[in-house]
Amino acid sequence: MAHPRVFQLANLLQPCITRKALLSGKAVHAQILTSGFSLDTFLSNRLVELYSQCNQFESALNSFYAIPNPNVFSWNAILCSASKSGNIDLAHQLFDQIPEKNVVSWNTMIGALARRGSEEKALDLYHGMIQQGLMPSHFTFASVLSGCASLIDLVDGKICHGLIVKVGLASNLFVENALLAMYTKCGIQDDAKMLFDEMTRPNEVSFTAIIGGLVQSGCIAEALRFFARMHRNNVCIDQVAVSSVLGACAKTEEEAYSPDQISFSFTVGQAIHAIVLKNGFESESHVGNSLIDMYAKHGNMEKADFIFKSLPSINVVSWNVIIAGYGKNGDAEKAIDMWKLMQESQFEPDEVTYISMLSACVKSGDAETARQMFDKIKSPSVASCNAILSGYSQNEDHQKAMEFFREMKFSNLEPNRTTLAIILSSCSGMGILTLGKQVHAAAMRFILHEDMFVSSGLVDMYSKCGDIEAARQVFDRMTDRDVVSWNSMITGFAHHSLNREAFSFFKSMREDGISPTESSYASVINSCAKLSSLPQGRQAHAQIIKDGHDMDTYVGSSIIDMYAKCGIVNEARCFFDSMPLKNIVSWNEMIHGYAQNGYGEEAIKLFEYMLDTKKKPDSVTFIAVLTACSHSGFVDKGIQFFNSMQIEHGIEPLADHYTCILDALGRAGCIRDMKLLLEKMPCTDDPIVWEVVLSACVVHGEANLGRKAAEELFRIDPKNSAPYVLLANIYASTGRWADATAVRKLMSDRGVIKDRGYSWIHNKRGVHAFMVDDFLGLVDGNGRKSNFDAHSHENCAA
């Protein structure tokens, strides 16, 4: 039995350990030494614990080594001290030396490894513990599940969950919370919610875990509902929960798809601000930073600035959040002022600060200032480089983006998926296939070509650069495809008039379980418009209504264009009138639709109504209305609108506008006015201008001007057969046969071949194109073949 003095000294040590009273503890240690009990294992264990609690690891280690016969408690005490000090290597050495390890020994080592970023080693140790036949405790499972969460290791996490159920710890709140964190961090929110609903008494840790996981996965509305449930259940709301849900309110503004959702998230954010004030959390910097972020992302910089200035303790994160807020709201000047003030306040900007500054400059369109800011960074990261690349790309300064990308490679900075996606976008914008292929090669070198984000960029680049086959090959090799990659292919097919493939891919996308977006529907509707395929267009329109995309202005404009190109102008106008929001594209499509179908008067009325609504027209609007005036013979109106472009609306006329006026004058036989306009025009190298002039000369037998127009076309495009044929026709119509023969000879000498004309027809078997002397296999209502039969050229199946 131990000496009574040992218990007395142990009782003196206990309050020192509890209060971390190092000086008093040393005094007791001195008494132990003078009393002759320094070799007592029990007291030595308590001394190791004392020095460990007071962060005096060397003293704890000396006390341990002074024990002549350390027991398992001695080993566990020094192991705990070593792991607490962060000396993992020494802790592992001590663990290996323990002669008889118990569950506490294993738990201490597994927990230390999991906390210090060695999760894989922690899992290996856990498997070793199981092989030794030891029963894990709730502490073991908590550490192991934490490691699985960090590694996003769902397989081991689920195996661990099975063992938890088997050993009867499934109802332990500590373990339940660890499981909840594991499932949420692995992105399995359905399982996390199921687990949460089975919990008998979820606490603030449980709610914080599920809310944080939902925010991370973008399930913002559900995260807000769980916070409301937490509040209703009178669960203690702490700073961590408040910060998580404020993060949800901030993210909603970026991820919501409707103004109502944005308004709702902001309202909830304001309500949480009231809870913060009620609970006295406003002095907590983490909560304050979350509030600044929430208000900034909703555009209320006045409130964000007020909270920033009210914080009792400002840290680098606070500065970064307020600077990023001004940047996001396009106020680069204020962001720069805050950056300067930050340095004046003795805070050193970090990488996040500079990225925020770069983003601010990029957002305001000032790529040059962003570059100057970038040059001040001593060791720029890939994220900083991406911000500069993004600025160049957004400003469509693709050449500078490519040059910067080359600089980045020479600096030995390895690009990531974002880098390659941005630079591929620039390649698409430039339309230079060779550069795109070089980036593809770089992606393969860095083993990023199979990344879904990069692959989608490659598909988009190849299709926009005209190599649709290469785009298809990249797409086919993708193991995972998101809606962006499908849209890139569908848009690429539609752009290259491969409408059959566009329809086929749209169908395959739906069969693959991918919900079409506005971009998907717009591309398919555009294919219907190009084919003038009304049945397919109506089907697509019905599906758009079913999926709730009919109110989108981008899709709506495509629907108007489709109905107009199919000749159903009344339906186009009905849909136009039903649109709650119309942008300039919607107006242009409707005006142009009237113009295409010969409804010049209605086009003019709609244009004038548009002006009455104070909607500002653009250059495309004037092309549409001038086309209407041209096709319907409203020459005076056309000239009036043309003259108003620069005077009233500040729009410089382009070649297309001049072409419309020339066409109107030509149709009306005003050849003299055409000549006068041609003399004043700044753009006479456009072939369409001269084609319009030549066509007018053919109609009115104007040989001199016709010859000039034809000669200009011979110069611009000598292989185009149209001007030769039209000039020959002018000469023939005026009886100048020798001149007509000379033109045909010139055409023959230059090897110019007249293009054959073709027609196309739509029936239940598809859309068929045919030329002169071709037969088109048609079947009448009784199933008999008509005389029109044989070499049909299938273009697209609608």
Side-chain angles (χ1 to χ4, degrees), residues 42-299:
F42 177 67
L43 283 177
S44 295
N45 289 347
R46 304 299 284 165
L47 285 170
V48 171
E49 191 178 351
L50 165 74
Y51 289 122
S52 178
Q53 282 291 96
C54 296
N55 296 319
Q56 300 291 313
F57 176 64
E58 289 299 325
S59 298
L61 195 61
N62 290 334
S63 298
F64 170 77
Y65 284 136
I67 304 172
N69 296 303
N71 58 18
V72 69
F73 299 103
S74 313
W75 284 103
N76 287 342
I78 193 60
L79 182 63
C80 180
S81 181
S83 63
K84 185 180 176 184
S85 72
N87 197 334
I88 296 297
D89 292 336
L90 179 58
H92 219 302
Q93 290 173 21
L94 290 167
F95 176 80
D96 291 338
Q97 292 170 22
I98 299 175
E100 294 182 13
K101 304 177 184 71
N102 63 5
V103 173
V104 176
S105 315
W106 288 91
N107 284 351
T108 303
M109 197 64 233
I110 291 168
L113 290 168
R115 285 192 303 275
R116 298 290 175 176
S118 299
E119 293 89 355
E120 290 182 2
K121 290 182 179 179
L123 290 177
D124 289 341
L125 209 60
Y126 163 71
H127 293 310
M129 177 184 180
I130 300 295
Q131 288 171 1
Q132 292 285 328
L134 291 169
M135 182 68 70
S137 69
H138 60 289
F139 290 111
T140 321
F141 287 125
S143 297
V144 170
L145 289 168
S146 172
C148 292
S150 299
L151 294 169
I152 318 295
D153 186 352
L154 185 62
V155 175
D156 276 327
K158 285 193 171 184
I159 293 170
C160 190
H161 191 177
L163 187 56
I164 287 166
V165 173
K166 185 177 179 180
V167 301
L169 285 172
S171 298
N172 181 286
L173 185 59
F174 193 55
V175 175
E176 284 179 318
N177 287 338
L179 277 168
L180 201 58
M182 185 274 293
Y183 279 118
T184 54
K185 285 184 180 177
C186 288
I188 313 300
Q189 304 308 331
D190 289 338
D191 287 1
K193 285 184 284 183
M194 193 182 303
L195 179 68
F196 185 91
D197 291 337
E198 291 173 358
M199 293 174 72
T200 51
R201 255 181 218 179
N203 62 5
E204 64 271 20
V205 178
S206 319
F207 274 100
T208 302
I210 192 74
I211 290 168
L214 290 167
V215 171
Q216 184 182 345
S217 298
C219 306
I220 307 304
E222 278 195 273
L224 296 178
R225 280 196 289 271
F226 267 93
F227 182 78
R229 182 173 163 185
M230 181 182 184
H231 191 57
R232 281 196 309 273
N233 292 359
N234 294 318
V235 176
C236 177
I237 295 174
D238 60 8
Q239 294 98 320
V240 179
V242 165
S243 293
S244 292
V245 80
L246 282 171
C249 295
K251 280 197 172 186
T252 304
E253 194 275 340
E254 298 169 343
E255 297 175 12
Y257 294 105
S258 73
D260 291 340
Q261 286 175 302
I262 296 172
S263 175
F264 172 71
S265 68
F266 184 57
T267 303
V268 173
Q270 289 176 308
I272 293 163
H273 190 179
I275 293 171
V276 167
L277 296 172
K278 181 182 176 182
N279 289 278
F281 295 153
E282 67 273 14
S283 59
E284 174 64 39
S285 61
H286 188 56
V287 175
N289 293 340
S290 298
L291 279 168
I292 296 167
D293 186 49
M294 187 273 293
Y295 279 112
K297 285 182 176 170
H298 281 280

Side-chain angles (χ1 to χ4, degrees), residues 355 357-368 370-371 374 381-402 404-405 408 416-426 453:
I355 291 172
M357 287 301 305
L358 294 173
S359 300
C361 297
V362 167
K363 180 87 175 176
S364 65
D366 191 353
E368 289 306 314
R371 182 59 196 264
F374 175 84
S381 67
V382 177
S384 309
C385 293
N386 289 347
I388 293 292
L389 282 173
S390 178
Y392 286 138
S393 183
Q394 286 176 32
N395 291 344
E396 296 187 0
D397 200 342
H398 303 305
Q399 187 61 45
K400 283 189 177 178
M402 291 301 301
F404 186 82
F405 178 64
M408 185 178 168
N416 59 15
R417 62 203 293 258
T418 306
T419 318
L420 294 173
I422 294 170
I423 205 67
L424 282 168
S425 175
S426 284
F453 197 46

Side-chain angles (χ1 to χ4, degrees), residues 709-720:
E711 286 173 347
E712 290 290 342
L713 288 169
F714 295 161
R715 177 181 61 83
I716 296 168
D717 186 5
K719 293 297 181 182
N720 183 3

Side-chain angles (χ1 to χ4, degrees), residues 20 84 215 345-346 410 438 457 468 528 565 592 620 628 681 725 737 783:
K20 299 180 182 179
K84 185 180 176 184
V215 171
S345 303
Q346 307 304 310
F410 290 137
Q438 289 173 21
I468 198 71
C528 296
K565 283 181 177 168
H592 192 247
V620 178
M681 277 175 57
V725 174
W737 302 108

Side-chain angles (χ1 to χ4, degrees), residues 579-648:
M579 290 176 72
L581 294 171
K582 302 178 183 73
N583 61 11
I584 189 62
V585 179
S586 314
W587 287 94
N588 291 349
E589 291 291 4
M590 193 62 244
I591 295 168
H592 192 247
Y594 277 133
Q596 278 179 313
N597 288 277
Y599 294 91
E601 195 169 343
E602 286 79 356
I604 291 168
K605 284 180 182 176
L606 186 60
F607 173 71
E608 290 175 339
Y609 174 65
M610 176 186 172
L611 297 179
D612 290 340
T613 62
K614 306 301 180 186
K615 187 73 180 176
K616 188 174 175 61
D618 62 9
S619 62
V620 178
T621 319
F622 278 101
I623 291 171
V625 74
L626 291 174
T627 300
C629 294
S630 170
H631 288 185
S632 300
F634 298 116
V635 181
D636 293 338
K637 271 285 184 184
I639 293 171
Q640 178 190 329
F641 292 144
F642 180 82
N643 291 335
S644 72
M645 284 179 63
Q646 201 166 19
I647 298 169
E648 296 178 23

Side-chain angles (χ1 to χ4, degrees), residues 674-696:
M674 283 181 73
K675 291 178 181 178
L676 291 172
L677 184 59
L678 282 167
E679 290 171 3
K680 297 176 183 176
M681 277 175 57
C683 42
T684 54
D685 274 342
D686 191 314
I688 299 175
V689 169
W690 295 108
E691 285 173 8
V692 166
V693 172
L694 185 56
S695 296

